[in-house]
Amino acid sequence: MSSSGADRPEKRRGVLRVLQEHGGDAVLLESATAVSWYLDGARVHVSLAGPPVASVLVHQDGDEVVTSASEAARLTAEELPDDVRLHELPWHAAPAAPESWFPAARSMAVLAEDCLAAPLRAARASLLPGETLRYEALCRVAAAVLTDVLSRATPHSTEREVAAELSAGLVRRGAEPIVLLCSGAQRLAHRHPLPTAAPLGRRAMAVVCARRGGLIANVTRWVRFGPATAQEADAEAGIAEVEADVLDALRPGLPLADVLPILQRAYPRHGFDAGEWTRHHQGGPAGYAGRDPRLVPGVPDRVHEHQAFAWNPSAPGAKIEDTVLLGAGGPRPLSVDPRWPVVRVRGRDRPATLER
């Protein structure tokens, strides 16, 4: 498979800079996030729940990939860029040191990916042109599939039926549903509602995290069969304001850890319990991982221009989530579908609840 253009050389330059700064000759990339990013979105999994089936050794003289004999033919024909050297191992080979896979590593100081986790995240934080195009297209697909499915749903549809249709819609469009959540009116208290046989009832939430080309789109949408109650309307408006506080604050160079106090203050400011932020993770940078990294106290990263984010403030019966890209004009939502109703929040179109 051919490289996707100018992105890969820039990624390689970035990793080599990291190695130079940290005194290493090579780094062994082994996580699904890093391997897929470095290989321009190559599908390096078999099981969605398993580790990647390939590792990449990056060094001054080139890029080398190791995989098992059972995966080599597919990866070569369909996934790998042309400019990497492939090494095959027997499928039954036991884990071993890098120098047993890569002869070149015997004379190198090879650093583990974990030792360079933060600088490697920084190297992939700003999306390159090819990545941006792929991500925009994927995010539109995820939003469109949610529109398609929730526009057909009824109060009698079950959560599993909705999840099945979401999965089918994503797979038809070449995406992998790595997270599918759905909660009907009976289960809205759960922040991560795995689908059950329960009917949707008068109100429901659906969540997809869809992966294609290594990138992951994160989107939440709500549907309601009938008008909102006053309590629902207040919660929906309030949670959009919590998100708006975060979106307004994003700027290149901002320490990512500084976003958490903004969220902590936003909940009581907009009518929610002050401890609400402790009941569900709040999101963070996005891209080749669902969150890269998840926002936690003390996270060492900084905000980058042209970086993707997916914030997901939530409260009982309320949540908002889109994948956005931080550009020169501020955050721009990527997971949009013109058919979905929106509400204007501080100059941005944000997803409203679809009323049926």
Side-chain angles (χ1 to χ4, degrees), residues 4-128:
S4 64
D7 285 1
R8 258 191 45 77
E10 180 58 32
K11 292 175 184 179
R12 177 169 165 76
R13 286 190 290 269
V15 174
L16 292 178
R17 282 194 296 269
V18 169
L19 285 171
Q20 184 177 28
E21 291 166 2
H22 291 81
D25 299 319
V27 60
L28 183 63
L29 304 180
E30 297 186 279
S31 72
T33 298
V35 172
S36 187
W37 164 71
Y38 194 72
L39 297 179
D40 277 343
R43 294 179 299 171
V44 290
H45 69 279
V46 174
S47 166
L48 288 173
V53 296
S55 300
V56 186
L57 185 74
V58 183
H59 54 85
Q60 190 67 46
D61 295 329
D63 300 328
E64 303 184 51
V65 173
V66 65
T67 191
S68 71
S70 58
E71 307 300 333
R74 176 184 70 85
L75 292 179
T76 299
E78 300 177 350
E79 304 297 336
L80 295 181
D82 296 333
D83 56 350
V84 301
R85 181 182 176 190
L86 183 67
H87 302 270
E88 293 185 35
L89 295 177
W91 64 265
H92 53 83
E99 56 265 24
S100 67
W101 305 339
F102 306 105
R106 294 169 188 163
S107 59
M108 294 180 179
V110 179
L111 302 181
E113 181 186 332
D114 286 350
C115 297
L116 301 174
L120 286 174
R121 285 198 303 269
R124 62 178 177 259
S126 295
L127 293 180
L128 297 169

Side-chain angles (χ1 to χ4, degrees), residues 259-278:
V259 177
L260 189 56
I262 295 168
L263 275 159
Q264 291 168 332
R265 293 190 296 268
Y267 280 100
R269 180 182 173 198
H270 298 296
F272 299 102
D273 185 89
E276 202 59 65
W277 72 275
T278 67

Side-chain angles (χ1 to χ4, degrees), residues 139-140 142-143 217-219 221 321-324 333-337:
C139 289
R140 288 193 298 268
N218 308 278
V219 193
R221 293 291 184 263
E321 180 183 22
D322 263 322
T323 304
V324 305
L334 302 182
S335 45
V336 295
D337 182 346

